[in-house]
Amino acid sequence: MNFWITEVVSAMDARQFYALPEKLFGHEPNFIAIPEQIQADIFNTVRNKRLQFLRLKRWIVWREGEAVGRIAAFDHPKPAAGELAGAIGFFDCINHPDAAARLFETADRQLKDWGLNVVDGPIQPGENDQYWGLLVEGFGKPSFGTNWHPPYYRQFFESAGYVPYYDQITNYIRLKDGLPDRFFKIAAWVRQKGKAEIRHFDPKHKRFYAQSVAHVYNHAWHMFDNFKPMLPEQVMQELDRLKVVLRHDLVWFAYIAGEPAAFMLMMPDINDIFAKTKSKLDMWGKLRFWQLNRPSKIKRLKIVVMGVHAAYQKLGLESALIQAAYEKVKLHYRSVEEVELAWVGDFNEPMKALHRAAGASLLRRHITFRKALDPSIQIKKFEIKTD
């Protein structure tokens, strides 16, 4: 069958690129499209500052004049020290191995031309971990920022030479089941012993809390090979980007002797809204968004990120933050039925243990794959280096 590839170079090409998943999977009951405006922002150098430092190209594969697949290739946004790493993302394709092979071959060729020797995917070319990994288990409705893929994609990746680099495990808590008693006991111990002050975000002091996030992040993630220090200004930009959906009583901090020790960002899962608006952000879609984005209408919440300063781990701060948020949710968000926890890598034993302790159940699993573009390189599973 005859397939051919074209590069995305014009605004019309970009619209074809953004619209393709809806065209391929709009009939699937669990598919929720990423709004076109949000996709465009990811590829906008003003909205996505990381793109100012990355090379990036996108392609569409065609059959008989019809777009049937897409892919993006770019420099890895978070390469480990010394790595010549690239990445692919926004892969979507009809269920035809030849079409998929053309997309992977085109991306590989470009990454090699740039002098790169390993490639991760599917990921996205930004700072955060949204739209990261290939869905391989739990094909229900995706939460916002989470990739939905049909099951046949995994065979395409493996046939193209990709191997699992790490699993991303997403769990959830049913609010009707409550939290285990140990959470309340740990939270009470943390407060009574005066070990931590627990409080929620106050938008009047946004810079102070942005500094707190950056401080915790820089002392919690520094052991990762691809760590890059976070600046308070970056956090300020992210808070501005999220201001439409950010709720002050869903963002929590812990301080020990005045030093930022931990934080947790939880938000409404706005994919519940996009499922009703068909992911449209036109005038009608925005009006519906405002109507549905109210505490009385929100049914799902999502913990986007949680971090604990390396010096204050194993003190129960995660439990204290979750318990504090749980009490607020019960009081002010009574229609909420479940809370999705931030995905945790299969290499992160402490966070996996916390999820088990919270009584969480498996919701979905993604895999971030890796491929060697240089045959002399052996791919090994990702692990946290402790030395």
Side-chain angles (χ1 to χ4, degrees):
M1 192 169 291
N2 188 27
F3 295 98
W4 70 94
I5 295 273
T6 60
E7 185 179 346
V8 174
V9 294
S10 69
M12 183 177 293
D13 295 338
R15 285 194 293 273
Q16 290 262 25
F17 186 90
Y18 301 143
L20 187 62
E22 175 76 32
K23 175 184 173 183
L24 296 182
F25 306 115
H27 63 282
E28 295 282 352
N30 290 323
F31 174 79
I32 301 174
I34 306 172
E36 213 171 288
Q37 182 177 320
I38 291 175
Q39 292 189 69
D41 285 349
I42 292 173
F43 293 101
N44 185 316
T45 56
V46 175
R47 296 278 189 174
N48 181 2
K49 302 294 186 184
R50 174 60 60 179
L51 279 187
Q52 297 173 9
F53 309 99
L54 302 180
R55 294 166 294 188
L56 180 145
K57 286 193 176 183
R58 295 174 286 173
W59 299 271
I60 295 172
V61 64
W62 302 81
R63 179 184 62 184
E64 298 177 356
E66 183 179 12
V68 295
R70 68 175 188 171
I71 200 168
F74 42 93
D75 289 304
H76 202 298
K78 299 179 179 180
E83 273 191 346
L84 297 173
I88 60 165
F90 291 84
F91 171 87
D92 285 291
C93 191
I94 59 170
N95 191 3
H96 198 295
D98 292 347
R102 290 294 304 273
L103 290 167
F104 285 121
E105 290 164 4
T106 301
D108 285 357
R109 187 163 51 248
Q110 181 61 69
L111 293 167
K112 287 178 182 177
D113 286 347
W114 286 337
L116 306 175
N117 56 26
V118 294
V119 52
D120 289 352
I123 67 174
Q124 60 102 342
E127 291 283 357
N128 59 46
D129 294 340
Q130 292 184 339
Y131 306 115
W132 207 278
L134 185 79
L135 181 65
V136 296
E137 185 176 356
F139 294 91
K141 283 185 167 57
S143 61
F144 181 72
T146 301
N147 280 330
W148 183 92
H149 301 121
Y152 64 82
Y153 276 14
R154 181 170 186 172
Q155 180 61 47
F156 286 166
F157 272 77
E158 291 176 343
S159 296
Y162 284 84
V163 296
Y165 191 37
Y166 53 86
D167 286 18
Q168 301 161 225
I169 302 159
T170 302
N171 296 314
Y172 76 106
I173 298 170
R174 287 181 289 264
L175 287 193
K176 67 178 182 180
D177 297 337
L179 291 173
D181 288 342
R182 71 182 300 274
F183 263 74
F184 298 97
K185 292 177 181 177
I186 292 172
W189 178 80
V190 169
R191 292 177 185 272
Q192 288 171 5
K193 295 296 182 181
K195 288 186 174 294
E197 176 193 358
I198 309 295
R199 52 175 138 136
H200 61 69
F201 174 68
D202 182 349
K204 294 179 182 178
H205 304 285
K206 184 167 64 174
R207 176 163 290 278
F208 170 80
Y209 288 104
Q211 291 169 338
S212 296
V213 169
H215 183 82
V216 172
Y217 177 89
N218 291 335
H219 287 84
W221 276 273
H222 67 279
M223 77 288 291
F224 289 93
D225 282 345
N226 60 358
F227 170 75
K228 288 183 175 61
M230 179 180 288
L231 300 174
E233 287 72 20
Q234 292 172 275
V235 183
M236 293 281 284
Q237 291 171 359
E238 189 68 7
L239 292 175
D240 287 340
R241 187 180 71 85
L242 297 173
K243 64 183 178 182
V244 174
V245 293
L246 198 67
R247 297 182 179 277
H248 67 276
D249 55 355
L250 297 179
V251 184
W252 288 83
F253 293 83
Y255 295 85
I256 294 180
E259 182 181 9
F263 73 91
M264 180 181 75
L265 168 62
M266 182 162 58
M267 296 193 310
D269 179 14
I270 56 177
N271 256 17
D272 276 350
I273 299 176
F274 289 144
K276 295 180 177 68
T277 64
K278 300 299 181 183
S279 300
K280 301 299 182 185
L281 287 175
D282 53 16
M283 185 176 69
W284 172 245
K286 289 178 180 178
L287 177 60
R288 286 288 289 154
F289 185 96
W290 282 107
Q291 290 173 335
L292 296 169
N293 187 29
R294 293 181 292 173
S296 62
K297 299 289 186 180
I298 295 169
K299 294 189 180 299
R300 297 188 71 217
L301 296 173
K302 179 177 181 176
I303 296 177
V304 179
V305 63
M306 179 185 292
V308 182
H309 191 302
Y312 302 117
Q313 293 175 4
K314 299 183 180 180
L315 295 181
L317 296 178
E318 302 99 328
S319 297
L321 292 175
I322 290 174
Q323 189 269 338
Y326 173 77
E327 296 296 340
K328 280 287 184 182
V329 169
K330 283 201 309 180
L331 189 63
H332 297 297
Y333 299 86
R334 296 183 180 180
S335 62
V336 170
E337 298 171 355
E338 59 188 44
V339 176
E340 179 179 317
L341 306 180
W343 69 259
V344 57
D346 59 356
F347 50 82
N348 192 337
E349 293 300 332
M351 288 304 295
K352 286 162 63 178
L354 176 68
H355 286 201
R356 289 193 295 269
S361 302
L362 178 67
L363 181 62
R364 68 179 72 92
R365 183 166 64 97
H366 290 78
I367 296 177
T368 292
F369 285 89
R370 172 163 278 208
K371 177 181 180 177
L373 299 175
D374 179 343
S376 69
I377 295 176
Q378 182 181 2
I379 303 299
K380 297 180 180 180
K381 285 277 285 183
F382 179 85
E383 60 182 18
I384 299 177
K385 295 181 180 179
T386 56
D387 54 357

